[in-house]
Amino acid sequence: ADYNQALRINPNNALAYGNRGNARAELGDKQGGIADLQKAADLFRQQGNTANYQKVLELIRKLQQ
């Protein structure tokens, strides 16, 4: 709920998407988690945050296995 609220306030909050994606995946919503993580990756890339972009891509790869 906190991540949803953060995203309502700022829909470009890559960290909130990443954290919500992790939470969703841990709660069993693997596809929802991957979707949120992909959005986080896209935002990190757009913002020039290469380090976090790479970290999120690695998380996505692990979830897709």
Side-chain angles (χ1 to χ4, degrees):
D2 290 339
Y3 298 128
N4 292 335
Q5 179 65 20
L7 290 167
R8 276 192 288 277
I9 293 168
N10 179 5
N12 292 317
N13 187 333
L15 189 56
Y17 274 109
N19 289 336
R20 187 175 77 175
N22 281 329
R24 289 175 117 178
E26 297 239 348
L27 292 171
D29 181 8
K30 188 174 175 180
Q31 291 308 311
I34 290 171
D36 276 351
L37 289 168
Q38 186 60 58
K39 179 68 175 176
D42 292 343
L43 289 169
F44 280 132
R45 183 180 43 78
Q46 290 172 15
Q47 295 165 5
N49 190 333
T50 307
N52 281 339
Y53 173 70
Q54 293 297 326
K55 287 178 187 177
V56 172
L57 289 182
E58 182 59 30
L59 289 171
I60 292 169
R61 278 192 284 275
K62 288 179 181 178
L63 284 173
Q64 291 175 331
Q65 294 178 352

